[in-house]
Amino acid sequence: MTHFPQTYSRLSRRSLLGGILGVTGVSSFHGREASAGEAVASTGEKILLSENNLMDLQNSISGPVILPTSLIYNEARRLWNPAVDHHPAIIAQCQSLEDIQAAFQFARSHNILTAIRCGGHNYDGLGMADGGMTIDLSLFRGVEVDESNMVAYVKGGSILRNLDEATIPLGLATTAGVVSHTGVGGLATGIGQGRLARSLGYTIDNVRGVKILTPDGRHLRADATQNSDLYWGVRGGGSNFGIVTEFEIELYDFDPTVTSISYTFPISKAADVYKTLFELSEVVPNEMSLSGGVRTNGRGETNCSIGGNFAGPQAKAQRILDPYLKKLGAPLRTRINEVDYLWLQGIADGDLLAKSATYYQSGFFNHVDEKIADAVADYATKNTFPGSQVQFGHQAGKMANVAPDATAFPHRDTVFQFTTDVHWADSREGPANIKFANDTWAAVKPMSSGGFYVNLAFSPGEAEIREAYAGNYDRLVEVKNMYDPDNFMRLNVNIKPMA
Ligand SMILES: Cc1cc2nc3c(=O)[nH]c(=O)nc-3n(C[C@H](O)[C@H](O)[C@H](O)COP(=O)(O)OP(=O)(O)OC[C@H]3O[C@@H](n4cnc5c(N)ncnc54)[C@H](O)[C@@H]3O)c2cc1C
């Protein structure tokens, strides 16, 4: 989480004008020097903002307005993935609902290309507008728990840790992601896959309602009975319809002592590891969530593993796993123990902002078999890129108990999600890493059931977006036509309105 000193939050006219006029340290964007008040419109052309325009913006919001000349500009524009190097013309850090409304109104009235930043974790940099305006919600965080109604009211800029820290100590939980500094805003409008998803469903399945600011300036409640089309679309359709200012998320009684599972095997076992994982998926209870595959660690050692978590005692987890894992022979390492769920939710955190660039490929499988295991192992064992992984993650369970057209996310028959992620610190290594991920995915894609997780996508084209939303795409276009016919909200996996 990035905090900025309050002293920056009200810029004097002089310092603000210094920013606008580019007196010092002006960063370049789109390969040029940024000039006074220059920004990119949502339609792509250049627009000029006057000093008075920018003063009006600063005067209308209580949080800081950060311009390219600001000393904190580079820190404020940094996203999780260092491969993204976007230079917005304006970053408006909003502290209140009124700030968000005023910033959105400003962006809309000047028709500036606008991004919404929550946790800043989108791999493709959708949380920062290159040349445009970023409405940064990272100062708009907080969670209120209503224990009697088993619901959490989550501000639209919150991160997962805010949600877990507010709920788990009360013996309550919901399902969200596996890294605590990921934003709720992007995750809960995508799908929201986490450690409890097999027993509780995706995060979107547990969003009871939202408050959302639509591009026409309305602040609407959307749930099963009010604005239900918007409620349907926002659960999977990202920021296509507006800015969610509050999520209302279902909570469950929860014992925070869970079993954490990790078995590591030599790389020679790769195909058998995938096969064993597929076999296990047929017998494990919904309280157990497993994934597995090949990983190369930071020292360049490649091995394979099966791991996950079980909302239950260690002895029971071992009784389920042992008969299957024993067939793989002696593991290189085993770690299976009871841990506190809140601790577990931070175990994969790593750096708050990644040091290495990241690229992903992902896809869904509604069946798995030995042929898929052999094909993926064939590629995955060629993996020598530090930090890279070729994984299958078990889905199904409660995630499959929802009809494909009940939310915008259609792939409810998925039994496994495939992901491969690659990482590099030296940009010269990027192309080879990306090629490895693309080739590995290409080897198994023909056997997949179509679609991919939109939150792991890199600039998908319209045909791919149609594939991601499958039978729900046309309805998403209808909802887009109703709430954002000008496609103002376009820095997302974009649903284009009908011309
Ligand atoms: C380290 C890491 C771990 C991850 N782990 C998981 C995981 O376990 N499970 C999982 O499902 N995904 C996971 N993801 C993927 C994650 O879902 C996406 O990266 C997601 O986009 C992050 O959301 P954010 O708010 O942090 O991103 P941002 O970059 O801030 O925003 C991403 C997108 O969400 C939109 N958005 C943000 N806030 C709002 C809002 N309030 N209203 C409307 N739209 C909004 C933005 O417009 C933008 O298009 C992970 C990503 C990273 C980097």
Side-chain angles (χ1 to χ4, degrees):
M1 175 167 163
T2 315
H3 284 293
F4 298 105
Q6 197 57 35
T7 46
Y8 290 117
S9 72
R10 278 274 168 199
L11 297 179
S12 67
R13 181 176 172 82
R14 190 187 166 96
S15 66
L16 183 61
L17 296 185
I20 297 163
L21 296 171
V23 177
T24 53
V26 180
S27 306
S28 67
F29 62 85
H30 294 308
R32 306 171 262 120
E33 285 292 292
S35 58
E38 186 181 295
V40 171
S42 73
T43 42
E45 66 267 18
K46 191 172 79 177
I47 49 175
L48 284 171
L49 298 165
S50 71
E51 296 164 9
N52 282 341
N53 292 151
L54 288 156
M55 285 301 296
D56 287 348
L57 172 64
Q58 178 60 91
N59 288 333
S60 67
I61 76 167
S62 63
V65 171
I66 297 166
L67 303 176
T69 47
S70 164
L71 290 175
I72 55 172
Y73 176 73
N74 281 329
E75 191 181 345
R77 71 182 180 85
R78 172 75 159 89
L79 298 173
W80 185 87
N81 188 356
V84 179
D85 189 27
H86 292 171
H87 289 73
I90 305 169
I91 302 172
Q93 293 193 325
C94 298
Q95 306 189 121
S96 63
L97 173 61
E98 292 72 27
D99 280 4
I100 302 170
Q101 284 173 312
F104 202 31
Q105 160 65 22
F106 178 88
R108 196 74 180 105
S109 63
H110 294 280
N111 196 26
I112 308 173
L113 178 71
T114 297
I116 314 304
R117 183 203 196 275
C118 174
H121 276 39
N122 182 267
Y123 296 102
D124 205 15
L126 294 174
M128 198 58 60
D130 203 11
M133 174 165 169
T134 294
I135 298 179
D136 183 341
L137 309 183
S138 58
L139 300 180
F140 186 66
R141 289 181 177 165
V143 175
E144 261 179 49
V145 175
D146 177 348
E147 286 183 75
S148 54
N149 285 310
M150 301 290 275
V151 71
Y153 296 96
V154 184
K155 283 186 178 166
S158 304
I159 56 172
L160 303 188
R161 187 187 307 134
N162 303 135
L163 185 55
D164 284 338
E165 285 180 349
T167 54
I168 291 162
L170 301 175
L172 300 170
T174 193
T175 157
V178 301
V179 168
S180 78
H181 39 73
T182 311
V184 176
L187 181 128
T189 54
I191 310 178
Q193 302 167 317
R195 294 186 169 90
L196 305 178
R198 283 187 29 81
S199 54
L200 303 181
Y202 292 120
T203 311
I204 56 169
D205 302 335
N206 290 290
V207 171
R208 278 195 201 165
V210 293
K211 286 187 185 148
I212 180 167
L213 199 55
T214 51
D216 58 10
R218 287 180 295 164
H219 191 221
L220 300 174
R221 158 101 193 156
D223 58 27
T225 56
Q226 304 170 63
N227 301 304
S228 54
D229 40 12
L230 191 52
Y231 174 58
W232 175 85
V234 82
R235 289 174 300 148
S239 64
N240 268 291
F241 315 106
I243 307 174
V244 177
T245 59
E246 184 179 274
F247 294 90
E248 191 178 318
I249 301 183
E250 183 98 29
L251 300 176
Y252 300 84
D253 287 319
F254 184 68
D255 175 353
T257 304
V258 298
T259 300
S260 172
I261 302 158
S262 172
Y263 288 77
T264 306
F265 298 93
I267 189 63
S268 58
K269 297 284 180 186
D272 291 334
V273 160
Y274 288 116
K275 285 173 197 167
T276 304
L277 180 68
F278 296 165
E279 274 182 62
L280 273 164
S281 70
E282 307 208 335
V283 297
V284 295
N286 286 352
E287 289 70 32
M288 187 174 281
S289 179
L290 295 176
S291 62
V294 171
R295 178 170 195 274
T296 300
N297 67 22
R299 295 184 300 282
E301 297 160 358
T302 306
N303 45 44
C304 45
S305 62
I306 290 184
N309 56 279
F310 174 57
Q314 177 182 342
K316 188 168 174 196
Q318 277 180 312
R319 273 201 303 280
I320 298 166
L321 294 170
D322 281 355
Y324 294 85
L325 296 182
K326 272 189 179 139
K327 290 193 278 179
L328 290 168
L332 294 173
R333 285 185 296 280
T334 303
R335 183 180 45 72
I336 177 160
N337 54 335
E338 289 179 12
V339 298
D340 177 63
Y341 182 73
L342 194 52
W343 173 84
L344 186 64
Q345 282 286 80
I347 196 177
D349 275 6
D351 294 315
L352 184 60
L353 298 170
K355 293 198 173 70
S356 302
T358 293
Y359 176 78
Y360 258 97
Q361 280 286 7
S362 80
F364 300 117
F365 288 76
N366 62 11
H367 87 284
V368 280
D369 56 27
E370 298 209 337
K371 205 170 132 212
I372 294 171
D374 287 331
V376 74
D378 224 27
Y379 267 86
T381 48
K382 298 188 180 93
N383 173 356
T384 53
F385 299 103
S388 58
Q389 307 186 93
V390 181
Q391 296 273 320
F392 272 90
H394 189 199
Q395 310 284 293
K398 190 99 180 280
M399 294 171 266
N401 288 358
V402 175
D405 60 356
T407 66
F409 175 70
H411 303 282
R412 298 294 181 162
D413 60 350
T414 300
V415 284
F416 273 95
Q417 177 178 237
F418 166 88
T419 52
T420 176
D421 55 301
V422 284
H423 311 266
W424 60 94
D426 180 339
S427 60
R428 286 168 300 186
E429 290 166 10
N433 274 273
I434 291 171
K435 183 173 180 334
F436 169 75
N438 288 344
D439 287 351
T440 309
W441 173 226
V444 289
K445 187 177 181 198
M447 292 174 269
S448 76
S449 42
F452 52 88
Y453 184 9
V454 291
N455 277 10
L456 306 183
F458 285 78
S459 308
E462 198 174 328
E464 288 169 293
I465 298 173
R466 275 180 186 273
E467 184 195 331
Y469 288 110
N472 290 337
Y473 183 82
D474 290 345
R475 183 168 174 203
L476 279 163
V477 174
E478 279 170 30
V479 181
K480 184 77 174 178
N481 287 339
M482 287 167 71
Y483 291 96
D484 187 21
D486 304 332
N487 201 14
F488 184 70
M489 302 297 289
R490 60 179 66 203
L491 290 179
N492 41 42
V493 172
N494 194 227
I495 305 293
K496 287 202 171 56
M498 223 110 71

